[in-house]
Amino acid sequence: MARVVDDADEQLTGPVLVVGAGLLGTSVGLALRRAGHEVLLTDVVEHNVTIAAGVGAGRPLTHDDTPRLVVVAVPPDHLGPEIIRALQAFPSAVVTDVGSVKSAPLVEVRAKASEEELGRYAGGHPMAGSERSGPFAASASLFDGRPWAVVPHAGAAEASVARVRALVRACGATPVALTPDEHDAAVARTSHVPHLLAALVAGRLVDAPAAQLVLSGQGLRDVTRIAGGDPGLWRQIVSANAAAIGALLGEVRADLDRLTDAVRAGRGDEVARLLDRGVAGTAAIPGKHGGPARADALVYVAVPDHPGELARLLGDAGTIGVNVEDLRIDHDPARPVGLVELTVAEHRADYLVDALEERGWTAHR
Amino acid sequence: MARVVDDADEQLTGPVLVVGAGLLGTSVGLALRRAGHEVLLTDVVEHNVTIAAGVGAGRPLTHDDTPRLVVVAVPPDHLGPEIIRALQAFPSAVVTDVGSVKSAPLVEVRAKASEEELGRYAGGHPMAGSERSGPFAASASLFDGRPWAVVPHAGAAEASVARVRALVRACGATPVALTPDEHDAAVARTSHVPHLLAALVAGRLVDAPAAQLVLSGQGLRDVTRIAGGDPGLWRQIVSANAAAIGALLGEVRADLDRLTDAVRAGRGDEVARLLDRGVAGTAAIPGKHGGPARADALVYVAVPDHPGELARLLGDAGTIGVNVEDLRIDHDPARPVGLVELTVAEHRADYLVDALEERGWTAHR
């Protein structure tokens, strides 16, 4: 069970070493520098360190440095060896990583690390990224408000886990505790399989006549955006999480078979059921900050029943700065005044009522 | 073959009647009012006309009105009957529609309309929408810069088609000429099948443990956003375009089978090929305004070879307001100055070179 962790851990102190100055590593550096921390950088590609340092993500690692925390930010195939190397090279440091898969690298680490070393390792995975890659795409605000999975194995020391949580908070993200197996099943569903299906949708565009693509709209761009991600990286992710992904793809294939048959046979009710499930699925996605999906509230306003007044009400709501999500009008043919029902975010409803009353409207919840 | 039509047609004149004050109809009304045109509104649901008029999309139709153009903006199942009704009710008007499918309604219109009436009908389809519906979600800018398919059948009079193009331009969109069959094949690929696959991805979230959904990121939200669209409307769209959609779903199913087998068998090369196809597909989507995908240009800048200077260059590029898409550094160990290669949009490259030189940099293309 995922737990959003709310206790205040230790403050992050001492230099943090980022191993791998790509998109994620450089963004970690930028976020930590923004928070005033000392950041050291290393990468097998020296050029990446130069850019990352150039954009302000830290300074190159020297032999005299003693990091208290090492963040391994390398491609999935290299996670295991680089975590082990960091545990051995910096015997007083806690080691974490930002890899997209957790169980497979852990098997490698367990096979080679001592019990003491294992106690100093606690994995992590920020739920943030970009279809672009490399240090130049990095941003100090990449993790702001995003969930960041903190994924300790059974042998991790609690002090190590606390230090990783401090890193997560210093980067502006929200720590979410998961076991490695829970994590890998979760990202198969919320990230890896969506990525693969986006790639299949995009792949169907390759041989399309140009005439057809002229009609591409924003919906198509949204569905396919993540399919532009680095295929080399995604190949490694898929390989490292093949069991969970393969199982889910089987479920999608069963759904697709049902859908295809229903479309071809003209069984509209069955098509509608699959569409309804899609709507329910979008509603199940939690709000942006990892909390529950946002609750709506209704605000009722009495409005003289002619068009100009409705426009004036909406204008006032706009001026007040509350976003109206939906609107319904209840007509009472016997009266020259109608009741308008405004749907707004729960936490803005009281404010809207007060502000409308101040402007002379009769409003209530 | 789709043709972006560039000739200047007649100006739109006379009142325009919008039949159906939902998201699209009300947005057409708002866009035309913004352009100074008279707009009349009707809807089987009177409530919708009240809201649409209230937000400024026009005024309710009266018996004395004589529209020159009728825009039928009703759900797919009602397109045929409403187009016929408009042709008969307004014998001097051109009739168009904004429906998502073109061939199926045309069959109905052809079966019931006279040759004269058929000459006054030319279908259309703006490539714009929202996962929200109803007049309250409407916007005057919904069509700005978007492609809008103008889809005349063989019997449409050229004067009718020209009036529809004038409507498209008045709404801020770009007319694209297609035949009904071309149109329906195109939207199956760029809109209907992507919608259905987004619904399948979203559907897999319904029964997921809440713990898994906490890790939802922006990628998942993008992929599934359109799956939140009105299932009743989409059921009708799928039904009206079943042949084209069914054929494409078969291709997707074949891809999915290959992908699933490759993931389970650990055949990374095959997974990578499908991922590569996805990347190529995203690159095939034309730019936002229906033109070709945007070209990039390289700008070279000489930079003293220490980190502070690179940061200063990027700061200056930001101040100049040119978006740097990518960056590479060529190191010349013999010199204290490096060459930095900036990737920017083709049409911004000359401006960037000039602006950088003004700030004391040595830059060239």
Side-chain angles (χ1 to χ4, degrees):
Chain A
M1 185 60 194
R3 294 158 298 273
V4 174
V5 181
D6 276 333
D7 56 315
D9 292 307
E10 63 171 314
Q11 292 294 305
L12 192 66
T13 56
V16 177
L17 169 64
V18 174
V19 177
L23 169 73
L24 287 180
T26 305
S27 295
V28 167
L30 288 169
L32 292 178
R33 291 293 303 138
R34 180 184 65 175
H37 297 287
E38 185 179 1
V39 179
L40 316 169
L41 301 163
T42 182
D43 193 304
V44 286
V45 182
E46 201 189 326
H47 171 212
N48 283 345
V49 172
T50 307
I51 296 180
V55 299
R59 64 169 175 80
L61 175 72
T62 70
H63 287 294
D64 298 333
D65 289 316
T66 308
R68 287 200 76 220
L69 176 66
V70 181
V71 181
V72 177
V74 301
D77 283 359
H78 301 279
L79 279 171
E82 287 296 335
I83 292 166
I84 294 161
R85 187 202 307 259
L87 287 167
Q88 293 171 347
F90 305 103
S92 65
V94 166
V95 176
T96 188
D97 68 292
V98 294
S100 313
V101 287
K102 298 268 77 84
S103 296
L106 182 59
V107 169
E108 291 179 70
V109 175
R110 276 199 176 122
K112 301 232 176 128
S114 70
E115 199 171 320
E116 184 278 329
E117 285 164 351
L118 275 169
R120 288 189 285 114
Y121 168 64
H125 179 204
M127 306 315 296
S130 167
E131 69 280 14
R132 298 172 59 199
S133 58
F136 195 66
S139 162
S141 59
L142 190 68
F143 312 109
D144 283 349
R146 300 299 177 95
W148 184 318
V150 177
V151 191
H153 59 98
E158 178 47 37
S160 306
V161 185
R163 199 173 300 173
V164 175
R165 284 196 298 259
L167 164 77
V168 171
R169 291 210 182 79
C171 288
T174 304
V176 178
L178 290 154
T179 68
D181 285 346
E182 285 172 340
H183 171 274
D184 287 0
V187 290
R189 193 184 296 268
T190 60
S191 171
H192 304 168
V193 165
H195 188 99
L196 290 171
L197 287 171
L200 292 190
V201 173
R204 285 289 110 218
L205 305 176
V206 174
D207 300 327
Q212 296 192 352
L213 298 186
V214 174
L215 297 192
S216 302
Q218 192 52 43
L220 181 66
R221 286 190 186 85
D222 285 351
V223 173
T224 57
R225 183 182 60 79
I226 56 174
D230 178 6
L233 172 66
W234 277 94
R235 174 193 175 150
Q236 293 181 30
I237 292 173
V238 171
S239 162
N241 202 18
I245 293 171
L248 266 175
L249 285 178
E251 296 180 22
V252 173
R253 181 158 59 173
D255 283 347
L256 180 59
D257 283 345
R258 267 195 296 278
L259 173 64
T260 306
D261 293 346
V263 168
R264 290 177 178 172
R267 292 197 301 271
D269 286 349
E270 211 171 322
V271 172
R273 263 199 303 280
L274 284 157
L275 291 167
D276 284 340
R277 256 184 91 83
V279 173
T282 61
I285 300 175
K288 205 160 190 174
H289 299 279
R294 212 214 42 225
D296 285 331
L298 298 178
V299 168
Y300 299 90
V301 191
V303 178
D305 205 7
H306 54 88
E309 288 300 293
L310 188 58
R312 192 165 68 83
L313 170 63
L314 299 177
D316 279 358
T319 307
I320 291 164
V322 172
N323 193 36
V324 176
E325 300 286 337
D326 203 356
L327 172 149
R328 292 180 44 167
I329 303 174
D330 289 332
H331 284 282
D332 179 349
R335 300 197 315 167
V337 170
L339 200 59
V340 171
E341 179 186 302
L342 302 175
T343 307
V344 300
E346 168 65 35
H347 70 284
R348 299 288 278 162
D350 286 337
Y351 173 70
L352 179 63
V353 169
D354 291 348
L356 285 175
E357 297 244 318
E358 253 176 46
R359 280 167 175 76
W361 298 96
T362 303
H364 66 91
R365 293 193 55 176
Chain B
M1 183 63 194
R3 295 157 296 273
V4 174
V5 181
D6 277 331
D7 55 314
D9 292 306
E10 63 170 315
Q11 292 295 305
L12 192 65
T13 56
V16 176
L17 170 63
V18 174
V19 177
L23 168 74
L24 287 179
T26 305
S27 295
V28 167
L30 288 169
L32 291 178
R33 291 294 303 137
R34 179 183 68 175
H37 297 288
E38 185 180 359
V39 179
L40 315 170
L41 301 163
T42 182
D43 193 302
V44 288
V45 182
E46 200 189 326
H47 171 211
N48 284 345
V49 172
T50 307
I51 296 179
V55 300
R59 63 169 175 81
L61 175 72
T62 69
H63 287 293
D64 297 334
D65 288 317
T66 308
R68 287 199 77 221
L69 177 65
V70 181
V71 181
V72 177
V74 300
D77 282 359
H78 301 279
L79 279 172
E82 287 296 335
I83 292 166
I84 294 161
R85 189 201 307 260
L87 287 167
Q88 293 172 346
F90 305 104
S92 65
V94 167
V95 176
T96 187
D97 69 291
V98 294
S100 313
V101 287
K102 298 268 75 84
S103 297
L106 182 59
V107 169
E108 291 180 69
V109 174
R110 275 200 176 121
K112 300 232 175 129
S114 71
E115 200 171 319
E116 185 278 328
E117 285 164 351
L118 275 169
R120 289 188 284 113
Y121 169 63
H125 180 203
M127 305 316 295
S130 167
E131 69 279 16
R132 297 173 59 199
S133 57
F136 195 66
S139 161
S141 60
L142 190 68
F143 311 109
D144 283 349
R146 299 299 178 94
W148 184 319
V150 177
V151 191
H153 59 98
E158 178 46 38
S160 306
V161 185
R163 199 173 299 172
V164 174
R165 285 195 297 259
L167 165 76
V168 171
R169 291 209 182 80
C171 289
T174 305
V176 179
L178 290 154
T179 69
D181 286 346
E182 285 172 341
H183 171 274
D184 287 0
V187 290
R189 192 183 296 269
T190 61
S191 170
H192 304 168
V193 166
H195 187 99
L196 290 171
L197 288 172
L200 292 190
V201 173
R204 285 288 110 219
L205 305 176
V206 174
D207 301 327
Q212 295 192 352
L213 297 186
V214 173
L215 297 192
S216 302
Q218 193 53 43
L220 181 66
R221 286 190 187 86
D222 285 351
V223 173
T224 57
R225 183 182 61 78
I226 57 173
D230 178 7
L233 172 66
W234 276 94
R235 173 192 175 151
Q236 294 180 31
I237 292 173
V238 171
S239 161
N241 202 19
I245 294 171
L248 266 174
L249 285 178
E251 295 180 23
V252 173
R253 183 158 56 171
D255 283 348
L256 180 58
D257 284 346
R258 266 195 297 278
L259 174 65
T260 305
D261 294 347
V263 168
R264 290 176 178 172
R267 292 198 301 272
D269 286 350
E270 212 172 319
V271 172
R273 262 198 303 280
L274 284 157
L275 292 167
D276 285 340
R277 256 184 91 82
V279 173
T282 60
I285 300 176
K288 204 161 191 175
H289 299 280
R294 211 215 42 226
D296 286 331
L298 298 177
V299 167
Y300 300 89
V301 190
V303 178
D305 205 8
H306 53 89
E309 288 299 294
L310 187 58
R312 193 165 67 83
L313 170 63
L314 299 177
D316 279 357
T319 306
I320 291 164
V322 172
N323 195 34
V324 176
E325 302 284 339
D326 204 357
L327 172 148
R328 292 180 44 167
I329 303 173
D330 288 333
H331 286 282
D332 178 350
R335 300 196 314 165
V337 169
L339 200 61
V340 171
E341 180 187 302
L342 302 175
T343 306
V344 299
E346 168 65 37
H347 70 283
R348 300 289 279 161
D350 285 338
Y351 173 70
L352 178 63
V353 169
D354 291 347
L356 285 175
E357 298 243 317
E358 253 176 47
R359 281 168 174 75
W361 299 95
T362 304
H364 66 91
R365 292 192 56 176

